[in-house]
Amino acid sequence: MSRPLLLEGGHVVDPSTTRDGSADVLVVDGRIEAVESDLVGPDDADRLSVEGLVVAPGLIDVHVHLREPGGEHKETIRTGAQAAAAGGFTTVWAMPNTDPPLDDPAAVGFVRQEARRWARRGEGGARVSPVGAASKGLAGEQMTEIGGLVDAGAVAVTDDGRPISDPALMRRLLEYTQTFGIPVLQHAEDMRLTAGGVMNEGSVATELGLRGIPSASEAAVVARDVLLAELTGGHLHIQHLSTCESVDLVAAARARGARVTTELTPHHLVLTETAVRDYRTEAKMNPPLRTEIDRTALRTALIDGVIDMIATDHAPHHYEEKEREFDDAPFGVVGLETAFAICHQDLVVSGDMTLPALVDRMSCIPARTMGIDGGTLRPGSPADIVVLDPDARWTIDPERFLSKSRNTPFAGFEVTGRVKRTIVAGETRYEDSA
Amino acid sequence: MTAQGKDLELGKDLIGLEDLTREQILGILDTAEPFKEISERSIKKVPVLRGQTIVNLFFEPSTRTRISFEFAEKRLSADTVNISSTGSSVQKGETLVDTARNLEAMRIHMVVVRHGSSGAARFLADRIPSNVINAGDGQHAHPTQALLDLLTIRDRFGAIEGRRVCIVGDIRHSRVARSNIWGLLKCGAEVAVCGPRTLIPAGIEDLGVRSFGRVEEAIEWCDVLYVLRLQLERMEGGFVPSLREYNRVFGVTSERLELASDEMVVLHPGPMNRGVEIDSDVADGPRSVILPQVTNGVAVRMAVLYLLAGGRPELAESAKTGAG
């Protein structure tokens, strides 16, 4: 085990213990030993001054695509985990829509082992937890051997990339997963309503002559699935909410006691369908960017807690794949290395949310609601820590990303708030060189 | 260059009428006037674009637009090459970026491009130094079609401003409708659309047009009835139940035209589905200006080629006499 680590002189923000003030943090054997003022620490401890900086539980992203196996030209488990660490994340959940998909225990085990192998070689980043496929081959028909996937390390199941369309399959999944205490993650979309659409349906799509995806394509499936969550008592997690109608449906279902959690992406928080103008493929994603009415409703829902957490839906694509006609370009944007700054700029700098509340939505709440060991600096917890400079101003430059891909809609954005250091199990996995 | 001439400068490309001012649009129509006459001569050729190389790059099948452009180019003495390739770049293996780079490497002057994806003409224009003329991109724009329609309306009524134009049919999938909406509104016309609600795109009113649910209302209201072609694949998409049903509810028939004012005219971008969106006795009848549209198409395209090549509108008359 590495030597003890003492982070001295920082401002500790840990909503899980309601701490928000100056304190030192001592890490021993990869775990939090103590969080107190004026800690002395053992003689052999590495001492690191973090004066003027914020020390918080490492960020958690329950929705990333690391592309390996099968899409290594876009991202690998190594580069994805490193990009995550550069974004302040200490745990990410890798989606199963790889090639082959993570629909058997061997594939699930591969992702977990690969992340650990790179960490052992000193090239690790965030912890990578595989999410298993909900159906075999992501075909939406036959349930995978979920018990086997969980034994191999799966932390949830989903067919993400595609919706679980069959209501009977969704019902069975919400029932069957209760044995293992894991959530079903749903990409809520009715493909027949989407019907080949490539952006939000509305006046901008009409003007551009692009096929639209109506809001109802998402909301209709949200409506159905919250009812199934209520019927079964299972844990439904709805990914990347994009419409105001979905927010209302979730709020009503939760008021009736349904176990429904939700996430919001940074891009749906700050951008609208107008970002697609000029056929910008870096603003093409699914669900699409919606209207200002939707954006405002989603933002309010995040602040009020109807939306539980931020998740990036980090979806790397090779530049050549995005340098195409809008219809032919793939859906998706990267997000790991910009998420904190974009959210901090939009929510905290504006004064609409406190920094502790943002840390809550990017770390503590995902840990608590999804059953992840982390999201806290409580003694005994894994020493997964992020050190932030909330005052640092910088300009987003995709050329500096550690991710293999550059497909971001945020290039050139001026932001405030920067990740200085990311520590996983007491080991620094990222350090800001700027 | 005169101040007026400078205002009319089109820039490098013609991608959509939404990028142009009213003065630029009317300037193109004015420039087309002297070119009309060339097509009436026995020797239909002037040396305006001598030495210019133009590629007609068609990723979608087209007969009418391609031939119209080709006549316009040849009558201006340009050297032309036609490239036809159906299917998207993904299907045929070469990306549009690579196509653009290859064209650039061959040092051509202009590209006339037709492509099935909205935004493809702009995509190409942003990546090559040649002038790019959009001959139709997906469901987005078909600016030269709208320009020839505007010229036809102006020929008939003397002015576009104040005229009521209703576009009938598949607005959702129509680049012709979008370009006409932009062009007509900029020129001061009142614009409406009409068709089954399945074929009217969301938020169309935000563009500044009204919509009619019944074709009879549209016919009573308008001075110009612009009838769109009903693509036969719309039946497979479930947008309309059958061709017969479409004709029953939205077909432009001589009986329905009895509701129209005396001076009302009918336009159609072609090719027509006779007996579906338009009946033969209307297409061939006294209100039809469908063939004058085709004639104007060549003149308008000559004007666009001339202006993008750097020709000055006030010199178009003398240019055609041979000075080049």
Side-chain angles (χ1 to χ4, degrees):
Chain A
M1 263 296 164
S2 55
R3 296 198 302 186
L5 172 68
L6 184 62
L7 300 173
E8 293 179 308
H11 181 105
V12 173
V13 170
D14 179 11
S16 75
T17 58
T18 68
R19 188 185 279 274
D20 181 10
S22 52
D24 302 334
V25 178
L26 178 64
V27 173
V28 176
D29 289 340
R31 297 205 165 254
I32 305 284
E33 179 75 15
V35 181
E36 287 165 36
S37 301
D38 306 316
L39 275 174
V40 180
D43 292 342
D44 64 340
D46 285 328
R47 288 159 198 280
L48 192 67
S49 168
V50 288
E51 223 162 303
L53 302 176
V54 166
V55 178
L59 308 180
I60 293 171
D61 187 348
V62 299
H63 192 166
V64 305
H65 298 267
L66 299 187
R67 304 302 189 202
E68 189 178 359
E72 291 84 354
H73 61 298
K74 301 168 192 261
E75 195 81 282
T76 62
I77 290 164
R78 180 176 68 89
T79 58
Q82 289 176 348
F89 293 96
T90 51
T91 295
V92 295
W93 281 14
M95 294 300 118
N97 61 335
T98 48
D99 182 16
L102 309 184
D103 64 354
D104 67 39
V108 167
F110 164 77
V111 172
R112 194 167 67 155
Q113 293 309 321
E114 189 69 1
R116 291 181 176 181
R117 186 168 72 86
W118 287 111
R120 277 197 305 276
R121 294 173 61 165
E123 294 185 54
R127 300 174 195 264
V128 176
S129 300
V131 173
S135 70
K136 286 187 180 159
L138 304 171
E141 287 162 11
Q142 196 180 354
M143 203 188 286
T144 50
E145 294 169 355
I146 294 173
L149 302 183
V150 169
D151 285 346
V155 291
V157 290
T158 187
D159 276 357
D160 181 46
R162 305 175 196 176
I164 296 159
S165 296
D166 179 354
L169 175 62
M170 182 49 112
R171 175 193 178 156
R172 298 303 173 217
L173 285 164
L174 286 167
E175 290 167 338
Y176 190 71
T177 49
Q178 290 178 49
T179 300
F180 313 101
I182 60 169
V184 178
L185 320 182
Q186 171 70 311
H187 167 117
E189 179 179 13
D190 186 321
M191 299 302 287
R192 286 163 301 183
L193 285 173
T194 293
V198 294
M199 70 169 292
N200 184 46
E201 180 172 303
S203 53
V204 179
T206 292
E207 183 188 315
L208 294 174
L210 292 172
R211 278 163 296 171
I213 303 173
S215 296
S217 172
E218 172 179 297
V221 175
V222 170
R224 181 198 78 179
D225 288 349
V226 296
L227 293 173
L228 293 174
E230 213 177 333
L231 173 71
T232 59
H235 179 180
L236 171 70
H237 177 78
I238 305 170
Q239 301 177 304
H240 44 46
L241 286 200
S242 75
T243 81
C244 56
E245 294 86 354
S246 299
V247 170
D248 292 344
L249 289 161
V250 167
R254 294 221 294 211
R256 294 192 303 268
R259 270 188 83 193
V260 179
T261 52
T262 57
E263 66 185 39
L264 176 64
T265 70
H267 44 274
H268 288 103
L269 172 69
V270 300
L271 301 175
T272 67
E273 58 183 351
T274 59
V276 174
R277 283 230 169 88
D278 300 324
Y279 302 96
R280 292 182 59 211
T281 58
E282 63 269 31
K284 179 178 177 182
M285 72 285 286
N286 190 12
L289 298 170
R290 303 281 188 185
T291 67
E292 182 61 20
I293 292 169
D294 294 302
R295 191 190 73 85
T296 309
L298 293 164
R299 192 171 183 277
T300 305
L302 181 77
I303 293 166
D304 295 348
V306 173
I307 294 177
D308 301 273
M309 66 196 81
I310 295 284
T312 64
D313 191 9
H314 178 78
H317 290 293
H318 195 251
Y319 77 89
E320 179 273 325
E321 296 164 314
K322 280 286 197 178
E323 178 95 347
R324 290 208 181 151
E325 301 89 304
F326 197 88
D327 284 338
D328 291 341
F331 290 105
V333 297
V334 293
L336 284 169
E337 293 171 79
T338 52
F340 174 74
I342 289 290
C343 294
H344 184 262
Q345 176 73 39
D346 183 73
L347 295 163
V348 180
V349 174
S350 66
D352 292 334
M353 196 183 246
T354 62
L355 180 59
L358 180 60
V359 170
D360 211 15
R361 303 228 168 274
M362 295 187 78
S363 175
C364 314
I365 292 175
R368 193 168 66 238
T369 57
M370 309 296 263
I372 299 164
D373 192 14
T376 178
L377 299 179
R378 200 175 286 117
S381 312
D384 292 358
I385 303 166
V386 64
V387 180
L388 303 163
D389 181 351
D391 300 321
R393 287 187 59 81
W394 57 292
T395 304
I396 292 172
D397 175 8
E399 293 306 314
R400 300 180 71 95
F401 287 172
L402 299 188
S403 168
K404 268 196 170 183
S405 292
R406 309 269 176 272
N407 50 306
T408 175
F410 298 123
F413 274 49
E414 304 271 344
V415 286
T416 304
R418 193 171 169 92
V419 175
K420 300 303 287 181
R421 182 183 292 265
T422 305
I423 296 166
V424 176
E427 184 183 302
T428 293
R429 295 279 173 89
Y430 171 79
E431 190 180 348
D432 182 23
S433 53
Chain B
M1 183 174 281
T2 62
Q4 190 206 2
K6 199 158 188 77
D7 291 343
L8 289 180
E9 262 186 69
L10 296 183
K12 184 172 87 69
D13 312 299
L14 177 65
I15 303 301
L17 297 190
E18 65 265 42
D19 305 326
L20 302 187
T21 63
R22 172 197 188 112
E23 288 66 36
Q24 286 174 316
I25 292 170
L26 293 175
I28 296 170
L29 303 188
D30 292 343
T31 308
E33 289 295 342
F35 286 125
K36 279 182 184 173
E37 183 260 332
I38 294 171
S39 299
E40 306 302 329
R41 297 182 188 173
S42 56
I43 297 174
K44 304 175 195 302
K45 202 171 181 89
V46 294
V48 170
L49 294 184
R50 195 166 49 196
Q52 298 263 326
T53 46
I54 302 179
V55 172
N56 297 313
L57 182 60
F58 279 66
F59 292 98
E60 244 187 15
S62 158
T63 306
R64 181 168 311 239
T65 302
R66 189 174 56 76
I67 289 173
S68 180
F69 265 108
E70 212 175 328
F71 273 129
E73 292 155 3
K74 287 191 177 356
R75 285 174 188 177
L76 295 176
S77 305
D79 296 319
T80 64
V81 173
N82 295 327
I83 303 174
S84 295
S85 169
T86 51
S88 75
S89 55
V90 172
Q91 290 160 333
K92 73 183 167 59
E94 183 180 80
T95 66
L96 192 54
V97 178
D98 286 336
T99 304
R101 287 179 184 148
N102 277 280
L103 290 172
E104 185 188 339
M106 285 186 266
R107 307 285 187 267
I108 43 139
H109 290 99
M110 290 193 195
V111 179
V112 175
V113 62
R114 157 75 60 99
H115 197 288
S117 289
S118 300
R122 164 61 58 207
F123 183 94
L124 193 64
D126 288 345
R127 283 163 182 78
I128 57 174
S130 322
N131 306 106
V132 173
I133 300 173
N134 184 4
D137 65 322
Q139 297 162 9
H140 170 235
H142 192 352
T144 58
Q145 174 71 46
L147 287 166
L148 74 88
D149 298 328
L150 292 168
L151 186 60
T152 308
I153 293 168
R154 194 171 76 166
D155 285 351
R156 178 54 71 112
F157 291 102
I160 299 160
E161 182 154 18
R163 289 295 155 186
R164 293 174 158 186
V165 182
C166 184
I167 307 170
V168 180
D170 182 2
I171 313 295
R172 181 188 288 272
H173 302 97
S174 176
R175 55 191 169 217
V176 173
R178 283 172 179 75
S179 280
N180 265 287
I181 288 169
W182 288 113
L184 287 162
L185 289 174
K186 287 193 185 225
C187 292
E190 281 185 69
V191 185
V193 295
C194 175
R197 196 62 225 184
T198 48
L199 294 175
I200 305 290
I204 188 80
E205 296 81 7
D206 296 344
L207 300 185
V209 306
R210 57 186 295 179
S211 67
F212 289 110
R214 307 293 305 210
V215 71
E216 292 82 0
E217 298 170 323
I219 289 168
E220 267 188 292
W221 176 82
C222 71
D223 303 314
V224 176
L225 191 69
Y226 196 115
V227 186
L228 294 174
R229 173 181 169 79
L230 185 75
Q231 304 282 350
L232 301 182
E233 61 260 33
R234 298 306 164 226
M235 259 62 60
E236 291 153 29
F239 291 97
V240 289
S242 71
L243 296 179
R244 189 172 61 181
E245 166 90 352
Y246 185 84
N247 182 258
R248 182 199 306 276
V249 184
F250 289 97
V252 177
T253 61
S254 50
E255 294 75 46
R256 287 193 167 125
L257 287 188
E258 283 169 17
L259 298 163
S261 67
D262 291 343
E263 57 179 359
M264 188 263 247
V265 295
V266 175
L267 278 72
H268 191 295
M272 290 182 280
N273 296 308
R274 290 170 181 262
V276 181
E277 73 268 8
I278 189 166
D279 279 5
S280 281
D281 51 354
V282 174
D284 304 329
R287 294 180 187 277
S288 168
V289 289
I290 296 169
L291 290 174
Q293 283 177 275
V294 177
T295 308
N296 280 341
V298 178
V300 152
R301 289 176 177 122
M302 288 169 84
V304 169
L305 291 163
Y306 170 76
L307 292 170
L308 286 182
R312 291 154 64 175
E314 66 276 20
L315 297 182
E317 182 67 42
S318 56
K320 72 178 193 181
T321 63

